[in-house]
Amino acid sequence: MKCNISKKCGGCQFQGIPYKEQLKKKQKKEQSLLGAYGKVCSIIGMENPYYYRNKVHAVFDIAKGGSVISGVYKAGTHDVVNIDSCQIEDETADAIIHDIRGL
């Protein structure tokens, strides 16, 4: 499943890569960062690598025209990227954020 806004938000840099390849890349990065300090265990993948985050960082802003938007900060900025759903955040959290935005 590819995220339409991953290049804007920067929260899920690996979403466009097959999950097994994501795990290989992450394992390699872990090894390069921590291998000199000790044994790096193998990463254990998830059965379903979507909608798993239990920490939510939602930001709200006023768009041009006055409507309320919510989402995440664009990578490296404080510009809000408007999103309705995030593939790595819990779906209940997405629904709550959507309801708050509607208020």
Side-chain angles (χ1 to χ4, degrees), residues 57-61 69-73 80-83 97 101:
H57 181 94
V59 292
F60 295 84
D61 200 0
I69 61 172
S70 63
V72 295
Y73 288 121
V80 177
V81 177
N82 189 34
I83 61 171
I97 293 165
R101 185 176 63 216

Side-chain angles (χ1 to χ4, degrees), residues 1 10 13-14 16 19 29 33-34 39 41 52 56 58-59 65-66 69 79 92 94-95 99 101:
M1 209 180 324
Q13 299 90 346
F14 294 117
Y19 187 57
K29 184 70 169 179
L33 292 171
L34 302 172
K39 181 182 176 191
C41 295
Y52 62 89
V56 177
V59 292
I69 61 172
D79 298 334
T92 304
D94 278 344
D99 288 347
R101 185 176 63 216

Side-chain angles (χ1 to χ4, degrees), residues 21-38:
E21 188 64 28
Q22 290 179 33
L23 295 177
K24 288 178 187 176
K25 287 180 175 281
K26 290 174 183 180
Q27 184 72 45
K28 186 176 179 181
K29 184 70 169 179
E30 293 269 329
Q31 184 63 42
S32 72
L33 292 171
L34 302 172
Y37 304 104

Side-chain angles (χ1 to χ4, degrees), residues 41-85:
C41 295
S42 296
I43 293 175
I44 300 170
M46 296 184 289
E47 190 174 309
N48 179 15
Y50 298 102
Y51 306 109
Y52 62 89
R53 278 197 181 158
N54 59 6
K55 177 186 177 194
V56 177
H57 181 94
V59 292
F60 295 84
D61 200 0
I62 305 295
K64 294 176 184 173
S67 63
V68 176
I69 61 172
S70 63
V72 295
Y73 288 121
K74 182 177 180 179
T77 74
H78 282 103
D79 298 334
V80 177
V81 177
N82 189 34
I83 61 171
D84 289 320
S85 177

